[in-house]
Amino acid sequence: MIDVTAPTRFLSVLDFGPAELSACLSLAAELKAARAARRAHERPLTGQHVALLFEKPSLRTRSTFQIAVRELGGDVIEPPQDVVLGGRESIADVARNLERWVSIAVVRTFAQARLEEFASAAPRLRVVNALTDEEHPCQALADALTLIERFGELSDRTIAFVGDGNNVARSLAQAVIMLGGHVRIASPAGYELPPAAVAEIRNCAANGGTIEVTDDAAAAAGGADAVYTDVWTSMGQEAETATRIQLFAPYQVNSTLMSLAAPGALFMHCLPAHRGDEVTDEVIDSPASVVFDQAENRLHAQKALLAMLG
Ligand code: CP
């Protein structure tokens, strides 16, 4: 069943091409069905160890990687945060040590450059981005799986991201456009995705996928098949919270904004949510909301990813 291969690292959705992305999502759907039916599947990580290195808090990513590794037959090690990437020894030396013991490292850190440095130092180690300041590709796999479950093909679908032009927006846009979907991102001035990131997203478009960037939340949500948002203040930006709450208020996803979307449009959020800020209770608790499908799909998508890398 597990006969697809991937590059040796997944630091970004862009480490996949459209074929690898589709193969990963198909495998994720297969693994999800097998788990639901309590059907045995191959355990490609048998005899392998996977290191989880997290420099920031996590519920979903950490839990789903722990379960994913165990269900694929592997074992997890979780070195404490204060001894990895924390100044006790260089990032490169941490990677070179781990390369001798484990086959895969799943890393949540700050700048993408830290992750690149880690991966470059240990070419035999398979490295997975569990979130950096710039990208969140594992979230994007789960989001794409959720969208495909609801819509099938994405080629005639428009996904609006309303809020901060952050790591989640970037990885989501990369995945959706690679699957031929249409992305609109609405952010206040000064909080847009950087132009270089937008150009990079445009470059990975396949099958007619497009991206539009605006500062108009209503224009982005108008007629969209899904409206996605994320917290206005990401981890590490806490000092900016008060300013951001004021600036982002017109970007709240509420019933008025959702009423502009296509009939039956989905509401999406990577979680954790700050209810009352970027989304109202009414929207996140509505039948349109697929946020817990997204959270569940973290597990299935990451199992597929690990199976491809392992
Ligand atoms: N969405 C997400 O990455 O959740 P955690 O921060 O809890 O891992």
Side-chain angles (χ1 to χ4, degrees):
M1 177 181 64
I2 297 170
D3 61 353
V4 284
T5 54
T8 54
R9 58 191 222 168
F10 188 66
L11 309 191
S12 168
V13 172
L14 303 180
D15 284 324
F16 277 165
E20 287 88 5
L21 179 57
S22 294
C24 183
L25 296 172
S26 297
L27 180 55
E30 206 175 315
L31 291 167
K32 182 172 182 176
R35 191 176 197 261
R38 296 180 180 273
R39 211 169 48 235
H41 56 70
E42 288 176 40
R43 293 162 67 86
L45 297 186
T46 300
Q48 297 188 48
H49 286 81
V50 176
L52 304 186
L53 311 179
F54 279 60
E55 291 196 284
K56 294 178 178 177
S58 170
L59 169 64
R60 280 149 291 274
T61 310
R62 185 189 284 276
S63 306
T64 50
F65 268 112
Q66 288 170 335
I67 297 166
V69 171
R70 289 174 187 143
E71 289 191 0
L72 293 173
D75 212 337
V76 168
I77 65 159
E78 297 184 76
Q81 187 178 328
D82 58 347
V83 300
V84 292
L85 311 178
R88 187 166 178 262
E89 56 196 308
S90 72
I91 289 175
D93 282 353
V94 172
R96 291 181 190 120
N97 276 272
L98 287 168
E99 188 180 36
R100 302 298 180 104
W101 309 323
V102 307
S103 49
I104 301 175
V106 176
V107 183
R108 171 169 287 198
T109 187
F110 294 89
Q112 184 86 4
R114 286 170 72 78
L115 187 65
E116 296 277 354
E117 185 182 346
F118 179 91
S120 300
R124 282 180 286 131
L125 189 60
R126 285 148 193 165
V127 181
V128 173
N129 181 350
L131 179 145
T132 61
D133 293 344
E134 290 91 345
E135 306 204 28
H136 199 358
C138 292
Q139 180 67 51
L141 292 182
D143 297 340
L145 180 60
T146 306
L147 288 165
I148 286 170
E149 285 174 343
R150 296 290 177 144
F151 297 141
E153 298 287 316
L154 299 192
S155 50
D156 290 325
R157 299 292 181 171
T158 297
I159 315 304
F161 184 97
V162 177
D164 193 15
N166 66 7
N167 47 7
V168 171
R170 183 190 301 218
S171 294
L172 173 77
Q174 290 168 347
V176 169
I177 204 168
M178 214 183 264
L179 294 166
H182 307 285
V183 183
R184 296 183 197 142
I185 302 182
S187 311
Y191 296 85
E192 311 94 338
L193 270 182
V198 176
E200 195 176 51
I201 292 163
R202 220 165 248 134
N203 278 342
C204 75
N207 304 315
T210 62
I211 180 169
E212 292 171 60
V213 177
T214 176
D215 63 358
D216 186 337
D225 296 291
V227 179
Y228 198 128
T229 191
D230 188 11
V231 292
W232 293 336
T233 304
S234 293
M235 288 179 273
Q237 299 170 336
E238 289 76 10
E240 302 170 28
T241 302
T243 312
R244 283 173 174 262
I245 284 176
Q246 269 196 323
L247 261 169
F248 281 87
Y251 295 81
Q252 183 186 65
V253 180
N254 50 34
S255 298
T256 306
L257 193 71
M258 285 301 292
S259 73
L260 304 175
L266 305 178
F267 170 72
M268 303 182 75
H269 193 305
C270 55
L271 302 179
H274 290 176
R275 290 164 176 259
D277 285 349
E278 76 273 6
V279 61
T280 57
D281 284 337
E282 195 179 12
V283 168
I284 197 169
D285 294 331
S286 73
S289 176
V290 292
V291 300
F292 297 111
D293 291 342
Q294 293 172 259
E296 179 187 339
N297 284 338
R298 296 296 304 272
L299 172 62
H300 311 300
Q302 289 160 196
K303 277 175 80 174
L305 176 67
L306 290 169
M308 290 170 76
L309 292 173

